[in-house]
Amino acid sequence: MTVSHTLLCLLEAGDRHGYDLKQACDRRFGAAKPIRFGQVYRTLAQLVRDGRVEVAAVEPGAGPDRKRYATTPEGVTGLDRWLAEPEDPQPQLQAVLFTKVTLALMSGRPAAEFLDAQRGAGTWPRRAR
């Protein structure tokens, strides 16, 4: 699973805390490949550093302050580009394609266009006609 793209897709729907993002990932992909909290926060830090996510708010809590993250226009553009780009053949191709189709559908993007582009690249079986 591509954690950074999954987080971008989830954040596109609205601002969230890291804890909320991890829970949402686990609900959708947890049975296949759960992610650790450390991976979520490490990925969020990289996305912030790269300008694809920003800290939208800092809220006080019982422990450390809680950061609420939001996607940036660069994050949305990067997600669009990744979803539209056909994947090269690789051992884990089915898992990557499943993730892309799921994220496209979650975000209201046209999964059929993505699948047609993947078929056109010759890395996906042709449709039976």
Side-chain angles (χ1 to χ4, degrees):
M1 176 172 65
T2 304
V3 176
S4 60
H5 294 104
T6 301
L7 296 180
L8 285 170
C9 182
L10 292 169
L11 286 170
E12 190 176 31
D15 302 352
R16 291 183 145 176
H17 297 104
Y19 180 85
D20 298 333
L21 290 166
K22 194 245 190 274
Q23 297 301 318
C25 286
D26 285 351
R27 278 193 301 278
R28 289 181 175 81
F29 301 104
K33 187 171 181 175
I35 60 173
R36 296 174 311 282
F37 280 107
Q39 186 177 14
V40 170
Y41 289 107
R42 186 173 45 256
T43 303
L44 285 169
Q46 290 170 342
L47 290 168
V48 168
R49 181 197 68 214
D50 296 343
R52 295 166 49 177
V53 166
E54 62 189 5
V55 176
V58 178
E59 302 165 352
D65 289 343
R66 294 180 48 172
K67 294 179 184 175
R68 187 171 279 280
Y69 297 91
T71 189
T72 64
E74 292 82 8
V76 173
T77 300
L79 180 60
D80 285 338
R81 189 174 23 255
W82 179 74
L83 287 170
E85 185 176 294
E87 294 293 320
D88 293 329
Q90 55 183 301
Q92 300 298 323
L93 180 61
Q94 298 299 326
V96 174
L97 294 179
F98 171 78
T99 300
K100 281 190 167 188
V101 169
T102 301
L103 294 178
L105 293 173
M106 283 173 38
S107 64
R109 290 174 173 85
E113 290 178 18
F114 157 71
L115 292 172
D116 287 343
Q118 191 68 43
R119 283 185 196 96
T123 57
W124 185 265
R126 298 275 180 215
R127 282 188 193 177
R129 306 236 183 214

